[in-house]
Amino acid sequence: MEIKTSDLYCIITPLSPMLDKREAVRIVQEFDNSKIIGLDMTFVKDCTIDFFEEIALKAEKSFVGLFNISSDIFTIFNIMELDKRLNLFVSEMDFKQNKHRILNRKLCLV
């Protein structure tokens, strides 16, 4: 796990391709509540339900943003409607500027 901190942000990059409960607990332990938390999901290829639950619980208490998400994991976020509780971004720059948040609005034409 790689951690980059600045005066405003704490960006955590998990280096494991599979995130399970153990990895999620390690990541949540590294969260600094005084900073804005960002998870760089560049190397992550698969996640378990435990990871999604841990991150969703932590996101209720502080600002957590995820970026560089693979399409498979992004699909799971949309199906589980976690995109409504977590802040999903395309890149680190969008995360830092808090712009261009990815939302699934589920619009339909009538």
Side-chain angles (χ1 to χ4, degrees), residues 7 14-15 18 28 30 34 39 46 49 54 66 70 76-80 82 84 88 96-97 103-108:
D7 50 340
L15 300 177
M18 172 67 172
V28 169
E30 295 296 330
S34 63
L39 284 177
D46 193 16
I49 190 72
E54 288 285 331
L66 286 82
S70 71
I76 294 171
F77 276 122
N78 285 333
I79 290 171
M80 294 178 66
L82 290 175
K84 308 297 188 254
L88 307 177
K96 286 184 176 179
Q97 295 175 353
L103 294 174
N104 183 7
R105 300 204 187 263
K106 296 189 179 180
L107 301 174
C108 62

Side-chain angles (χ1 to χ4, degrees), residues 29-110:
Q29 287 175 350
E30 295 296 330
F31 283 2
D32 184 359
N33 291 332
S34 63
K35 298 182 186 216
I36 299 173
I37 307 298
L39 284 177
D40 185 356
M41 306 283 283
T42 302
F43 301 110
V44 179
K45 302 297 179 214
D46 193 16
C47 298
T48 64
I49 190 72
D50 298 321
F51 171 76
F52 294 118
E53 290 173 351
E54 288 285 331
I55 297 301
L57 284 174
K58 185 60 177 177
E60 292 174 359
K61 298 174 185 158
S62 62
F63 186 88
V64 178
L66 286 82
F67 53 93
N68 294 332
I69 307 166
S70 71
S71 60
D72 297 336
I73 297 172
F74 179 68
T75 304
I76 294 171
F77 276 122
N78 285 333
I79 290 171
M80 294 178 66
E81 295 184 4
L82 290 175
D83 59 326
K84 308 297 188 254
R85 294 193 283 169
L86 295 170
N87 300 303
L88 307 177
F89 299 95
V90 174
S91 66
E92 184 176 349
M93 185 174 65
D94 290 341
F95 164 72
K96 286 184 176 179
Q97 295 175 353
N98 197 16
K99 294 185 178 182
H100 308 289
R101 186 173 167 210
I102 302 173
L103 294 174
N104 183 7
R105 300 204 187 263
K106 296 189 179 180
L107 301 174
C108 62
L109 296 175
V110 179

Side-chain angles (χ1 to χ4, degrees), residues 8-24:
L8 189 57
Y9 300 104
C10 177
I11 297 176
I12 300 171
T13 306
L15 300 177
S16 172
M18 172 67 172
L19 294 180
D20 55 2
K21 184 170 182 82
R22 185 179 72 84
E23 290 289 328

